[in-house]
Amino acid sequence: MLQRLLNAGIEESEARKEISILEKEIKDLNKIKEILDERIKTRKPLQYILGKAYFMDFEVAVNENVLIPRPETELLVGETVKRFGLWSGRRGLQTSPTVIDIGTGSGIIPIALAKALPNCKITAIDINKEIIELAKKNAIKNNVGNQINFKICDVFSTCFEGLINANKFDLIISNPPYVKDENLKSLSPEVQHEPKEALTGSKDNKSGLIYYERILEVVTANCHSRLDRESKNESQALDSHFHGNDKLLALEIDPLLVNDLKSLMNKHKIDKYEIVKDYSKLDRFLFISF
């Protein structure tokens, strides 16, 4: 079985993992052969064929409307929980923290955060009903449905602006689309099965930056607007809040976009940030304190 996958051009580490999953999930050898035949013929990811995937220590349903969970996003959640715990402790945060996950897909990020931070209340958004319904089912299946409010909302809409302006989120997290339009066709056959909207986005994305630009634009505008109001009542409000005492923004990023992201942060006068590497020692995560 392993050799068949290798001969089809599937990397050995991935092939071994897939064989292990099949042997664990399915006892019928004929059924395993049928799945392998489909996997090799179509190069459709195994997770789509099985209709499920694993993320951290739990299982979720997946289909071709959402990305397949990746190890890098597990690391995003782990690094975020670690930093958010330290950050909220410094703030003396006593109430239940509030979180928004932008582009929730199958719901893996809010589900993992709800498990790790059982007192948090999470809003999770994505662009259509089918995606949101799948994420809701996954949250219910993992017993955290009561912690997460799933909502159809496009990041480029006034809906998104309204959410950010109406809620003082303690944590904003996202693994947004960041594949450049021109690079889409060069991705692996497996990735070609994943939804274009989750890879490059629902709009032209020539730079790979459009979602980062939008998120930073709305979040920084909200911070400055609120702090301007507060500064009328407290002269030191702007200074005391803008340097890491209000909210934490956690983003998964493309390592090739790091310099562009630094320029973008400079444009928004953001100087309190940290870039963290992934398992391959590539710059993969951006944490910003507001």
Side-chain angles (χ1 to χ4, degrees), residues 55-60 77 81 107-120 122 138-148:
F55 185 78
M56 302 184 83
D57 61 349
F58 58 89
E59 178 187 305
V60 292
V77 172
V81 169
I108 52 174
I109 288 177
I111 292 170
L113 289 174
K115 288 175 173 288
L117 304 168
N119 293 325
C120 71
I122 305 170
N138 284 331
I140 292 169
K141 178 180 180 180
N142 282 282
N143 302 309
V144 293
N146 62 327
Q147 284 181 253
I148 308 170

Side-chain angles (χ1 to χ4, degrees), residues 2-240:
L2 175 63
Q3 193 59 49
R4 290 189 64 198
L5 292 176
L6 295 178
N7 291 342
I10 297 168
E11 291 185 5
E12 183 173 353
S13 60
E14 184 63 26
R16 289 186 181 279
K17 183 171 69 174
E18 291 185 8
I19 294 298
S20 176
I21 290 171
L22 286 172
E23 290 178 341
K24 179 181 178 181
E25 297 283 342
I26 301 170
K27 303 306 178 185
D28 185 338
L29 290 179
N30 288 327
K31 181 63 176 176
I32 292 177
K33 182 180 181 300
E34 289 177 12
I35 292 171
L36 285 177
D37 288 343
E38 181 179 0
R39 173 77 174 95
I40 292 167
K41 181 180 179 180
T42 67
R43 293 297 293 267
K44 181 184 291 186
L46 180 64
Q47 293 89 338
Y48 286 154
I49 296 173
L50 297 177
K52 62 182 177 180
Y54 296 94
F55 185 78
M56 302 184 83
D57 61 349
F58 58 89
E59 178 187 305
V60 292
V62 294
N63 57 38
E64 292 186 52
N65 289 319
V66 299
L67 288 180
I68 292 166
R70 287 167 166 77
E72 291 82 4
T73 308
E74 292 184 351
L75 190 55
L76 170 67
V77 172
E79 294 292 327
T80 298
V81 169
K82 179 169 65 178
R83 283 162 177 76
F84 186 68
L86 293 172
W87 175 84
S88 59
R90 288 196 299 268
R91 287 187 61 207
L93 192 63
Q94 300 298 319
T95 58
S96 299
T98 56
V99 180
I100 183 168
D101 173 38
I102 303 166
T104 196
S106 60
I108 52 174
I109 288 177
I111 292 170
L113 289 174
K115 288 175 173 288
L117 304 168
N119 293 325
C120 71
K121 296 297 181 183
I122 305 170
T123 299
I125 65 172
D126 217 306
I127 60 172
N128 68 49
K129 181 178 179 181
E130 289 76 16
I131 294 173
I132 290 298
E133 289 301 320
L134 177 66
K136 281 182 181 178
K137 290 177 182 177
N138 284 331
I140 292 169
K141 178 180 180 180
N142 282 282
N143 302 309
V144 293
N146 62 327
Q147 284 181 253
I148 308 170
N149 175 32
F150 291 99
K151 185 177 180 63
I152 301 170
C153 183
D154 189 331
V155 72
F156 292 100
S157 69
T158 55
C159 165
F160 178 62
E161 295 171 8
L163 277 175
I164 296 298
N165 291 332
N167 299 274
K168 188 180 177 183
F169 291 111
D170 300 299
L171 171 63
I172 300 170
I173 187 169
S174 183
N175 176 18
Y178 55 69
V179 176
K180 294 181 181 180
D181 291 332
E182 65 183 33
N183 294 339
L184 187 61
K185 292 182 180 179
S186 67
L187 300 176
S188 71
E190 284 77 13
V191 176
Q192 298 293 337
H193 284 275
E194 299 192 71
K196 176 182 181 297
E197 290 79 8
L199 295 167
T200 65
S202 58
K203 295 180 178 292
D204 290 342
N205 198 357
K206 293 183 174 64
S207 67
L209 292 169
I210 62 171
Y211 284 85
Y212 301 111
E213 289 175 330
R214 175 62 172 169
I215 291 168
L216 289 180
E217 173 190 33
V218 174
V219 173
T220 54
N222 169 261
C223 287
H224 284 302
S225 175
R226 181 182 54 75
L227 295 175
D228 284 345
R229 293 194 302 270
E230 290 181 0
S231 65
K232 294 178 181 179
N233 300 317
E234 183 180 347
S235 60
Q236 298 301 313
L238 182 61
D239 181 67
S240 64

Side-chain angles (χ1 to χ4, degrees), residues 245-275:
N245 293 316
D246 184 56
K247 63 175 85 271
L248 180 67
L249 174 59
L251 298 168
E252 186 167 328
I253 63 174
D254 181 346
L256 298 177
L257 294 177
V258 168
N259 288 334
D260 293 326
L261 285 167
K262 287 180 178 179
S263 296
L264 186 59
M265 288 188 288
N266 185 58
K267 172 184 173 183
H268 289 287
K269 297 180 172 57
I270 295 169
D271 59 6
K272 192 170 183 63
Y273 66 88
E274 180 185 10
I275 295 173

